[in-house]
Amino acid sequence: ASQPESPDVQITSPKTFDHVKGLIQFTGSAAGSGFSYYRLQVGQGLYPQQWIQIGEDVTHPEKSGSLGTWDTNGLEGLYVVQLLVVRNDQRVERDILQVTIDNTKPQVQILTPSDGERITYQQGEPVMMQVTASDNLVLKRVEYLVDGELKMTLMQPPFIILWSMKLGEHDLSVRAYDLAGNLSEADISFLVEK
């Protein structure tokens, strides 16, 4: 990404290469001497063939504030965002960043134990909890909660943990998050009996 020509023309959030979803709030600055208006526009891919403007041209300068909001629902993949500040003499200054839009939730499934499974208690024998999880882009982490308590967070496969057996009925919840913060959850209950 190009360096902004001045601190008067920059998008401070999101950052370049961020994974984003849903409603994106752009913050930054669009100001400076001879200010006429600013415009936010986005294009698909690394070298966009066309630009789509977000909102209207804004005729008041903004210092370290909200520049606009972009609804990315229904979009996926790499986009380039351009902030253009047009001066009274028609000079244009710009800041550009790339973001990856990810509105797709991860896939997550509990392989073992199975829902409703009855496990015979054996002293010192753990229960193996195995999960498959994937994302269309980048999976960030998988969390294991047993009876509502976070037991383990794994960042990469294999998504297997060993849980010390306790008698009684138990709930296992597994949450998978991607880099954009999309979340999927799978839940089962199982019984450990004598």
Side-chain angles (χ1 to χ4, degrees), residues 32-81:
S33 60
F35 177 89
S36 178
Y37 65 89
Y38 78 82
R39 170 183 298 177
L40 274 173
Q41 53 188 31
V42 297
Q44 189 172 12
L46 200 48
Y47 304 104
Q49 298 305 300
Q50 57 179 8
W51 296 94
I52 300 150
Q53 184 167 343
I54 301 170
E56 306 291 314
D57 289 346
V58 180
T59 53
H60 60 84
E62 188 66 64
K63 284 291 272 185
S64 305
S66 173
L67 297 174
T69 307
W70 180 25
D71 184 354
T72 69
N73 284 300
L75 304 179
E76 292 286 329
L78 183 70
Y79 279 75
V80 175
V81 180

Side-chain angles (χ1 to χ4, degrees), residues 8-180:
D8 286 333
V9 182
Q10 62 173 329
I11 301 170
T12 51
S13 171
K15 302 278 188 225
T16 204
F17 306 130
D18 274 1
H19 282 232
V20 297
K21 68 179 173 93
L23 278 176
I24 311 306
Q25 186 81 40
F26 291 103
T27 54
S29 296
S33 60
F35 177 89
S36 178
Y37 65 89
Y38 78 82
R39 170 183 298 177
L40 274 173
Q41 53 188 31
V42 297
Q44 189 172 12
L46 200 48
Y47 304 104
Q49 298 305 300
Q50 57 179 8
W51 296 94
I52 300 150
Q53 184 167 343
I54 301 170
E56 306 291 314
D57 289 346
V58 180
T59 53
H60 60 84
E62 188 66 64
K63 284 291 272 185
S64 305
S66 173
L67 297 174
T69 307
W70 180 25
D71 184 354
T72 69
N73 284 300
L75 304 179
E76 292 286 329
L78 183 70
Y79 279 75
V80 175
V81 180
Q82 268 199 113
L83 167 65
L84 304 176
V85 172
V86 180
R87 306 290 176 197
N88 289 329
D89 58 7
Q90 295 308 300
R91 252 183 339 112
V92 178
E93 287 182 49
R94 68 191 67 205
D95 191 21
I96 297 177
L97 72 148
Q98 298 160 16
V99 293
T100 298
I101 299 173
D102 180 1
N103 285 306
T104 304
K105 291 180 173 184
Q107 306 273 314
V108 62
Q109 188 186 0
I110 298 170
L111 301 179
T112 58
S114 55
D115 196 23
E117 186 172 340
R118 303 167 88 91
I119 299 166
T120 304
Y121 180 80
Q122 287 164 317
Q123 181 76 40
E125 279 292 304
V127 176
M128 184 168 88
M129 296 178 165
Q130 185 172 10
V131 169
T132 61
S134 61
D135 188 62
N136 63 321
L137 293 167
V138 184
L139 191 68
K140 187 175 183 192
R141 68 182 191 276
V142 172
E143 296 177 344
Y144 290 76
L145 293 89
V146 180
D147 302 331
E149 191 184 323
L150 181 64
K151 291 293 179 195
M152 180 76 78
T153 302
L154 297 178
M155 303 311 208
Q156 58 208 29
F159 296 114
I160 298 172
I161 71 165
L162 297 175
W163 176 74
S164 307
M165 279 199 199
K166 291 189 182 75
L167 284 170
E169 184 156 349
H170 300 285
D171 296 312
L172 169 62
S173 293
V174 175
R175 296 180 188 151
Y177 294 85
D178 65 22
L179 269 185

